[in-house]
Amino acid sequence: MPAKYRDKSRKIRKYYSDNEEQRDRPLLFENSYLGDLHFDLRIGQLPTNISEHALRCVLGEALLRNPENSWISYSLNSNKYIGVDRYGGPDFRRLKVKGATEYAASLGLICIDAGKSWAQDGYGKQSRFTATPTLIQMAGLEPAIIKHPRELIRLKDEKHTLIGYVDTDFTIELRNDLREWNDHISQFHIWVDDPHVKWTNTGVVKICSQRENGGHFFIRPDSVAMHRVFNDNSFKLGGRAFGPFWQSLPKSMRKNVRIDNSYTASGDYSCSHLRLAYAEAGLDPGVEDGYAIPGYEDPTGRSLVKIATNIAINCKNNNQARRAVSDQVAWMENGSLGPQKGNTNHKDAVKVLEAILDKHHRISEAFYSGSGLRFMAIEARILADVARAARQRGIVTLPVHDELICQSQHIDIVKDLMTEKWSETVPVRPIVK
């Protein structure tokens, strides 16, 4: 590889490893500011070319995300808005987004960090914005913001960009089922009984003061509606439910989720992707812990094996998996991505991956195959079946990827349903914990 391309490649990898921009939130017109534009924000009559709805969405996203100290990214490429009005509504158009953001910036309400093209040495960076202190002060500490997700079934391409699609009987059925699930959840009061949780008076924003890796983070307790995301331009890949606030909680805090006044418990499929891989190969994995590997018996070691196993199944080649596991090793040891000790992280990654493949040599073809999204789709379909069966019994379930939270008094029923629905689809019996 010529030196100039090697240098460029190194710069790109460093950019995506070090730059916190990877944590930006995409603008999607899902959150709208409800306050009085004239009296609260001192905005006069809007110019005829400015959409009030687009402006309210820009301000709503800026105010909502500001406590997280993050930015909202948006595209000025017209092609990015083709066919995606189902996600952002009819005002979700390049010109209306551009007009609303530039107008808000001209009033000093948001700060724009303009994107740069590859030709400008910007690594393809999108534009982004964040709330200014002026907007925060004018809107108040607890601004009135309404969340209105427009599309429950979402499809992304290989670059993780939302794309349009034509509805079929399948997508209509998925949407109706998810709407029923959301409606059932909305009948219950979901909250967290934890000393590190502070609730605002209006319930718009919940502030948690500690996280497993330190620092503060912010979520919305009114975010209980779920949407399902499919990947790589296929409704056979992905399909997990995202959106509700309890998914953002650290695992140690999720045990303190309450449904109405009831304590909760959870059931999850242990080693689900591994067991799906064995089932696909027509093999019985037994009941042994698939993540139990000599030399990695302690909780940190088992956690690394679990993450590395799923990375190896998800990645499409060995090099991609090694880089991802190497980053994970660095994160677990140092709290940051990227190499911290020369090649030590890389060697540790190679070592744990080799140990995993040695233990599961009978399903070696499942590794570095990119099968993870396909297995997620199977898993997501099973969880939806469990949730539907639970609803028929009056039991509410809250999903966290391959886990379901429910009221403690119903946990045995939910676990039985998880075993039943899995066995109807997969010829290998699950391990439900």
Side-chain angles (χ1 to χ4, degrees):
M1 180 186 293
K4 63 178 181 178
Y5 293 116
R6 287 199 301 271
D7 292 341
K8 187 80 168 181
S9 177
R10 282 195 292 268
K11 287 168 68 177
I12 293 169
R13 287 198 299 272
K14 185 178 189 302
Y15 177 83
Y16 283 109
S17 295
D18 299 344
N19 196 300
E20 65 177 14
E21 195 175 26
Q22 59 190 318
R23 293 189 292 273
D24 290 351
R25 308 279 186 141
L27 177 66
L28 202 57
F29 279 20
E30 283 194 340
N31 298 286
S32 178
Y33 175 66
L34 291 180
D36 192 306
L37 296 180
H38 178 68
F39 291 102
D40 294 343
L41 303 184
R42 316 292 194 271
I43 297 177
Q45 184 175 357
L46 297 180
T48 56
N49 65 326
I50 301 299
S51 162
E52 179 178 335
H53 175 64
L55 178 62
R56 286 185 177 276
C57 288
V58 167
L59 297 176
E61 290 289 353
L63 287 166
L64 175 64
R65 304 307 182 188
N66 176 73
E68 298 180 18
N69 194 27
S70 65
W71 294 71
I72 309 301
S73 65
Y74 64 102
S75 178
L76 292 177
N77 183 342
S78 299
N79 294 327
K80 297 293 185 180
Y81 296 90
I82 296 176
V84 296
D85 55 337
R86 69 163 63 237
Y87 304 114
D91 278 349
F92 194 58
R93 296 286 188 272
R94 174 187 174 276
L95 289 179
K96 292 187 177 182
V97 169
K98 184 175 185 293
T101 52
E102 291 181 353
Y103 183 65
S106 72
L107 298 176
L109 301 178
I110 65 171
C111 175
I112 294 178
D113 178 23
K116 294 181 181 179
S117 68
W118 287 92
Q120 295 172 298
D121 203 28
Y123 308 108
K125 180 170 72 70
Q126 286 190 330
S127 295
R128 60 182 188 165
F129 64 85
T130 192
T132 63
T134 300
L135 174 60
I136 298 167
Q137 182 179 7
M138 287 182 169
L141 294 177
E142 298 175 5
I145 300 172
I146 186 171
K147 184 180 179 69
H148 44 77
R150 298 178 179 276
E151 180 53 71
L152 301 182
I153 305 301
R154 305 182 181 185
L155 181 63
K156 293 186 176 182
D157 62 14
E158 292 82 356
K159 297 180 180 179
H160 311 295
T161 300
L162 286 170
I163 57 176
Y165 61 88
V166 177
D167 269 320
T168 63
D169 290 343
F170 176 71
T171 60
I172 293 172
E173 181 181 353
L174 285 177
R175 188 178 298 108
N176 290 338
D177 181 70
L178 188 55
R179 185 175 290 114
E180 289 180 5
W181 196 352
N182 281 334
D183 289 345
H184 192 228
I185 289 175
S186 69
Q187 299 173 26
F188 297 81
H189 176 46
I190 317 297
W191 57 291
V192 185
D193 184 14
D194 190 281
H196 298 128
V197 173
K198 298 178 182 179
W199 298 85
T200 64
N201 292 331
T202 63
V204 173
V205 179
K206 186 181 70 172
I207 306 174
C208 299
S209 61
Q210 291 187 355
R211 207 172 190 175
E212 287 177 334
N213 62 344
H216 297 233
F217 75 112
F218 301 75
I219 59 178
R220 291 183 59 173
D222 63 340
S223 294
V224 297
M226 301 175 289
H227 58 270
R228 291 181 64 176
V229 179
F230 292 85
N231 305 93
D232 289 4
N233 199 23
S234 172
F235 285 107
K236 295 181 179 180
L237 302 175
R240 280 181 168 175
F242 295 95
F245 77 85
W246 55 81
Q247 293 186 348
S248 300
L249 295 171
K251 186 174 183 179
S252 60
M253 194 178 288
R254 287 204 295 269
K255 67 179 181 294
N256 296 325
V257 170
R258 303 288 182 259
I259 300 177
D260 287 341
N261 292 318
S262 299
Y263 286 90
T264 59
S266 64
D268 71 89
Y269 292 115
S270 179
C271 306
S272 60
H273 283 195
L274 273 174
R275 300 186 76 78
L276 286 171
Y278 275 98
E280 194 171 71
L283 299 171
D284 183 2
V287 296
E288 181 186 3
D289 181 1
Y291 302 135
I293 292 181
Y296 298 91
E297 293 91 349
D298 63 288
T300 300
R302 186 185 182 281
S303 178
L304 176 60
V305 170
K306 177 180 179 179
I307 294 170
T309 299
N310 289 303
I311 286 175
I313 291 175
N314 273 275
C315 288
K316 296 181 179 180
N317 58 66
N318 182 277
N319 289 333
Q320 188 183 48
R322 284 202 303 267
R323 288 195 297 269
V325 175
S326 179
D327 279 347
Q328 183 61 40
V329 171
W331 179 262
M332 294 175 73
E333 293 183 355
N334 308 288
S336 61
L337 296 175
Q340 302 292 327
K341 301 181 298 181
N343 291 324
T344 304
N345 294 339
H346 178 78
K347 293 178 181 177
D348 290 343
V350 171
K351 182 179 177 181
V352 70
L353 286 170
E354 288 178 347
I356 291 168
L357 263 71
D358 182 62
K359 179 179 180 68
H360 299 290
H361 60 90
R362 292 189 298 161
I363 55 167
S364 59
E365 292 184 359
F367 296 99
Y368 315 129
S369 64
S371 298
L373 288 174
R374 185 161 48 80
F375 291 159
M376 284 181 196
I378 298 172
E379 188 180 74
R381 185 172 70 249
I382 294 172
L383 282 182
D385 290 343
V386 174
R388 191 181 313 110
R391 286 199 302 277
Q392 293 170 356
R393 293 164 171 79
I395 300 172
V396 64
T397 54
L398 313 178
V400 185
H401 307 318
D402 62 349
E403 172 185 347
L404 286 174
I405 300 172
C406 68
Q407 292 168 306
S408 296
Q409 63 266 31
H410 300 312
I411 187 60
D412 289 339
I413 296 175
V414 169
K415 286 186 175 181
D416 286 345
L417 288 173
M418 291 178 72
T419 299
E420 174 188 328
K421 296 304 178 183
W422 174 287
S423 300
E424 290 176 0
T425 304
V426 184
V428 169
R429 186 175 178 82
I431 298 177
V432 179
K433 293 185 176 180

